[in-house]
Amino acid sequence: MEKIKKGIHRICEVLELLAAGLVLIGILFSAFSLLRQGQTFQQLLQDTSGFIHYLEQVLMLVIGIEFLQMLCRPNADNVMEILIFLVARHMIVGTTTTFEDFVSVISVSLLCVLRRYLHNLKIKEDKASDETQDC
């Protein structure tokens, strides 16, 4: 029974790495297509109306990179970072009302506080485990 659990766990790890590889390929293609658009920079110099579309693409690339990081090292910090980026992207790029902006700011604030709490909790746990190992 234990061998089966280990085998399933190993298969899941391989599938996670495969998914991370596919996400990495997508990120690289997106980055190259974004850099290849030299005319976009010229258009931005003349008219800034396309900046929101460009910013949306860049933020999606950042979210993809954070998602890849989460796939490679899954922990609470990475999940919180992705959620913060998603809410911030929605607030910056999306067409939102004043109330939605307020809720987004509160959401980011709560996520930052929760992230800090989890980080401090991890530090305390690490200290406690170090102290028990010293004894």
Side-chain angles (χ1 to χ4, degrees):
M1 188 64 163
E2 192 64 33
K3 283 186 176 184
I4 293 173
K5 285 183 182 179
K6 285 183 181 181
I8 291 173
H9 184 66
R10 182 68 183 146
I11 290 171
C12 289
E13 287 177 349
V14 169
L15 289 175
E16 283 178 351
L17 286 175
L18 181 64
L22 292 173
V23 170
L24 179 62
I25 291 169
I27 288 170
L28 292 175
F29 283 147
S30 294
F32 286 132
S33 74
L34 196 61
L35 293 174
R36 197 183 66 200
Q37 297 175 355
Q39 64 199 16
T40 303
F41 296 115
Q42 293 173 352
Q43 289 173 351
L44 288 175
L45 289 173
Q46 297 169 359
D47 182 24
T48 59
S49 62
F51 181 69
I52 294 295
H53 178 66
Y54 180 75
L55 187 61
E56 183 177 4
Q57 290 177 332
V58 170
L59 289 174
M60 283 301 282
L61 191 60
V62 168
I63 290 170
I65 292 168
E66 290 295 327
F67 182 69
L68 177 64
Q69 184 179 7
M70 185 192 73
L71 285 174
C72 293
R73 289 183 287 136
N75 60 33
D77 280 341
N78 292 339
V79 173
M80 292 295 167
E81 282 183 23
I82 288 175
L83 291 174
I84 289 169
F85 277 120
L86 285 172
V87 173
R89 179 193 168 274
H90 172 73
M91 188 172 65
I92 293 169
V93 178
T95 308
T96 58
T97 63
T98 306
F99 180 72
E100 288 174 332
D101 286 342
F102 176 71
V103 171
S104 295
V105 168
I106 297 297
S107 299
V108 169
S109 300
L110 288 175
L111 286 169
C112 287
V113 167
L114 183 60
R115 183 172 174 232
R116 178 59 115 181
Y117 172 75
L118 291 174
H119 183 71
N120 288 342
L121 189 63
K122 183 179 177 185
I123 290 173
K124 287 179 183 177
E125 288 176 359
D126 290 343
K127 258 187 193 177
S129 67
D130 288 344
E131 288 175 1
T132 56
Q133 289 177 357
D134 291 339
C135 294

